[in-house]
Structures are given as structure tokens and as C-alpha cells.
Amino acid sequence: MTAVSGPSSSASQEASSSQALHDPENDLSLVRRILRLPPLTGLDDWGIPPDPTGPCDAVIETKLAQFHALKDNSSNPKHFNDSLMSNRSFRNPHLYAKLVEFVDVDERITNFPKEVWDPNDLDEEWFADRIGAFAFECIVQATLFTMLHSLRALVSAVVQIISRTFILRIYFWCPKRRSRKLVRSNSRRLSRRRSARRLISSVQVRLR
């Protein structure tokens, strides 16, 4: 008889495939494969030297054995990182600079060759003081531009007010001046008519 694949066999296959996908070892290998850097041309294993073949230093072995014994102590286990974190001096924010100075290491050094990355190849514009000076210049220029724009708007407003006032004065001043001229001309005409009438009346009186 031939075996018939039913729902139970398909479910078992799916369970086995899901277990294979969620296997911690497979996940770890996948993460390592993703995080693995591409090889560098001309360098084997990214320039990392091979494992030493000679004997290890006895002082280092003694220190490591002591640390392992303190960590594996069942009654009072002590870890180096925990002891370091509980120390008050470790919480000092200036401790990093002191450690770098004490160990005498270059914190900007890299394993890449200088033609790939040179930490000392820095431009002057990259430093904080130059960036601050450039930002200050930008702020000053923006402030001056804003002040000039405000002054220009103020001058234009003053010019508009003066021009409108001048136009209004001309508008209200011209009719008055014209009326004064008309009054003067009318008064002159009236005076001339009166003088002519007086002259005519005096002549008529003399003729009588």
C-alpha cells in the first residue's frame, strides 16, 4: 500500500520548516553572514594577523584565571564589568579623557590604510570653532538683511505718507488760492465800475 499524504503530514512539514527557519543557530549564522564585511583587496582576513603559535604570557593567564574564578564563584559571583559600573569614579564624565591619556592610545586610529581613510586628513572648516564662526556670520548677515528690509519698508511708508500729505495740501490749497484770486479780481472790477460810475455822475453834474 502506498502512503497517502494527508493533512497531518503537511502540518508536520510546515512545523519542521518553521522550526528550521526559527532555529537560533540559523538566525545567528544569518546575522553573521549579513554583518560580514566584504574582503579588502590585497589583504587577507582584513589584515588581521593569524593566531599566535607561541605560549601565552603567564601573567595574563593568571589574571584571566582569577577573573574566571571570581565570576564562577557560586556563593558571591563578581563580574569585572559590574564592579567597574558600580565604581563612583567610573561615572565621572571626564574619565574617558583620563583613560585615553593613561593608556596612551590614539582614539581616532583605524585599521584601514591611509589611502582609504586618514583620520588626520581634516579640513579647517570641519572644526567646531570654524563652524561656530560661519554660523555667527550667517546670523549677522540674516540680521542685517532683516534690518535693511525693515528700514526699506519704513522709508517707503514715510515716503508714501509725505507724498499723500503733499497731494492733500495741494488739493486743499489750490481752490483757496483760486478763490482768493477770484475775489481779488472781482473786487478790482467792482472798484473800477464804481470809479467809472462816479466819474460819469460827476460829469453829468457839471454839465447841468
Side-chain angles (χ1 to χ4, degrees):
M1 294 178 65
T2 59
V4 179
S5 62
S8 60
S9 61
S10 61
S12 62
Q13 289 178 0
E14 290 178 358
S16 61
S17 61
S18 62
Q19 288 179 0
L21 289 174
H22 297 288
D23 190 4
E25 294 183 358
N26 292 334
D27 294 340
L28 183 60
S29 61
L30 178 62
V31 170
R32 287 178 178 176
R33 188 167 60 254
I34 292 173
L35 296 179
R36 188 176 180 85
L37 297 175
L40 297 176
T41 56
L43 293 176
D44 296 335
D45 200 8
W46 302 284
I48 300 174
D51 295 335
T53 56
C56 184
D57 191 359
V59 178
I60 297 176
E61 284 186 348
T62 305
K63 288 183 179 180
L64 291 175
Q66 182 181 1
F67 288 144
H68 281 292
L70 292 173
K71 182 180 178 181
D72 296 335
N73 190 0
S74 59
S75 60
N76 188 15
K78 291 183 180 180
H79 198 275
F80 178 76
N81 293 336
D82 296 336
S83 301
L84 188 63
M85 293 294 292
S86 62
N87 192 359
R88 292 183 61 185
S89 300
F90 186 77
R91 301 175 186 176
N92 187 2
H94 302 286
L95 180 65
Y96 178 76
K98 292 182 180 179
L99 289 176
V100 170
E101 184 179 358
F102 176 75
V103 181
D104 193 14
V105 295
D106 189 2
E107 55 183 338
R108 297 180 302 171
I109 201 169
T110 176
N111 292 326
F112 290 100
K114 288 189 176 182
E115 57 269 12
V116 176
W117 169 251
D118 187 5
N120 296 321
D121 187 12
L122 301 175
D123 294 337
E124 295 182 357
E125 289 78 10
W126 297 355
F127 290 93
D129 53 351
R130 296 298 298 272
I131 295 174
F134 179 73
F136 181 74
E137 290 178 0
C138 292
I139 292 171
V140 170
Q141 290 179 1
T143 306
L144 290 176
F145 179 77
T146 306
M147 292 175 64
L148 289 175
H149 185 70
S150 302
L151 183 61
R152 184 178 179 182
L154 180 62
V155 169
S156 63
V158 171
V159 169
Q160 288 180 2
I161 292 171
I162 292 173
S163 61
R164 289 178 181 177
T165 306
F166 184 71
I167 291 171
L168 290 174
R169 288 189 65 183
I170 291 174
Y171 178 77
F172 288 106
W173 180 69
C174 287
K176 291 181 180 179
R177 190 171 182 182
R178 289 177 182 175
S179 62
R180 289 176 183 175
K181 287 183 178 180
L182 290 173
V183 169
R184 289 176 183 175
S185 61
N186 292 330
S187 61
R188 288 176 183 175
R189 288 177 183 176
L190 289 173
S191 62
R192 288 176 183 175
R193 288 178 182 177
R194 288 175 183 175
S195 60
R197 287 177 182 176
R198 288 176 183 175
L199 181 61
I200 292 170
S201 61
S202 62
V203 170
Q204 288 177 356
V205 169
R206 287 180 183 179
L207 289 175
R208 288 177 184 176

